[in-house]
Each structure stands twice: as C-alpha cells, then as structure tokens.
C-alpha cells in the first residue's frame, strides 16, 4: 500500500515540472533537476519503508538486499541495457 502511495505521489509532484520541461525550453534544466530530485526522494522513501517492513517482520537483512536487487534495482539496469542496445 505504501509503495503505490509513494509512486502516486511522485507522479503527481512530477506533473508540473514535466509540463514545464516540455513547453518552456528556458527552464528545462531546472525542471529536470526537480524531476530527478523528486524521483530520488521517492526511491529513498521506498527503500526506507521496505527496510522497516523487513525489520518489523524479523526477516534477515540479506533477504532485504535480495529484494532490492530483484525488485528495485534490476528493472533500471534492464532498461539501461535496452536503451544502450538500441542506441
């Protein structure tokens, strides 16, 4: 539930900066920095909430790292590889 809430909130917070990025070329760098900052804060929040869940459930730290690698980090690496193959 918290994961979807964080994803929803980052999407809502990124809406205006992304519109400004598309339609106003003068402030593209600022809008991009805001978008990246909101995305990173959302990812950090997911990591912290995930760790709290694993810690509360008395599941080991190694399982948390497996979760991070399999669910949080690996999709970004796959997207990066796909983009590098296309380019």
């Amino acid at each position: 539930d918290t994961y979807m809430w964080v994803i929803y909130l980052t999407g809502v917070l990124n809406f205006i900066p992304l519109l400004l990025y598309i339609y106003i070329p003068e402030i593209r760098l600022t809008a991009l920095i805001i978008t990246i900052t909101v995305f990173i804060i959302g990812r950090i929040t997911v990591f912290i909430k995930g760790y709290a869940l694993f810690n509360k459930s008395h599941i080991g730290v190694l399982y948390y790292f497996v979760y991070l690698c399999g669910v949080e980090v690996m999709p970004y690496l796959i997207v990066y590889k796909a983009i590098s193959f296309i380019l």
Side-chain angles (χ1 to χ4, degrees):
D1 188 38
T2 304
Y3 181 80
M4 294 306 290
W5 183 80
V6 169
I7 297 299
Y8 171 76
L9 188 60
T10 57
V12 169
L13 291 176
N14 277 331
F15 180 72
I16 298 296
L18 288 175
L19 279 178
L20 296 176
Y21 179 83
I22 292 170
Y23 292 115
I24 304 175
E26 291 84 19
I27 61 168
R28 280 195 171 170
L29 181 63
T30 306
L32 186 64
I33 290 171
I34 291 170
T35 301
I36 291 172
T37 304
V38 169
F39 177 76
I40 290 172
I41 290 172
R43 293 288 98 195
I44 290 171
T45 305
V46 167
F47 290 156
I48 291 171
K49 292 290 186 178
Y51 182 73
L53 176 69
F54 274 75
N55 195 17
K56 186 174 79 172
S57 300
H58 302 291
I59 301 173
V61 175
L62 293 176
Y63 288 113
Y64 177 66
F65 287 122
V66 170
Y67 161 76
L68 286 179
C69 291
V71 176
E72 298 295 333
V73 177
M74 190 55 73
Y76 296 117
L77 291 176
I78 291 172
V79 168
Y80 171 74
K81 283 291 205 184
I83 290 173
S84 67
F85 283 138
I86 291 172
L87 299 176

